[in-house]
Amino acid sequence: MSVVVKSTSNDVIFLPAQLMKELNLSEGEEVKPIVEGQTLRLARLEKFLALRGALKDDDAFDDAVASLQQAWEKWTLPDIA
């Protein structure tokens, strides 16, 4: 399977139906995109946020989440042809 990449100005990622089925994702489900080098990973948002309950008193986790949020707010999509 090949996927065509396009950029948009909103917070929506469009996935082919076949890929959504393989990833067991439903229409409208929120995911957290994680970019690692040339790899894009998608994590279900509720699983990511569930860490908050387990680590609610962990200052290092709070610092890491704040750092991720700052990086996310500064991140821009690269120009892709």
Side-chain angles (χ1 to χ4, degrees):
M1 170 193 325
S2 64
V3 179
V4 176
V5 179
K6 295 183 178 183
S7 64
T8 65
S9 60
N10 55 21
D11 295 335
V12 176
I13 297 175
F14 295 94
L15 299 174
Q18 179 184 354
L19 182 57
M20 285 184 64
K21 183 177 179 179
E22 288 181 34
L23 296 173
N24 197 25
L25 293 172
S26 301
E27 190 74 29
E29 191 170 352
E30 291 187 59
V31 294
K32 173 81 174 166
I34 303 163
V35 179
E36 295 175 344
Q38 296 292 320
T39 302
L40 172 66
R41 294 188 308 121
L42 301 176
R44 286 182 172 79
L45 195 56
E46 68 271 5
K47 290 183 179 180
F48 179 76
L49 294 176
L51 289 173
R52 188 71 206 111
L55 301 169
K56 66 181 178 183
D57 297 321
D58 189 325
D59 291 336
F61 181 77
D62 291 340
D63 293 341
V65 170
S67 177
L68 285 172
Q69 183 63 36
Q70 289 173 357
W72 180 252
E73 290 170 1
K74 293 178 184 176
W75 183 67
T76 57
L77 290 172
D79 292 331
I80 299 173

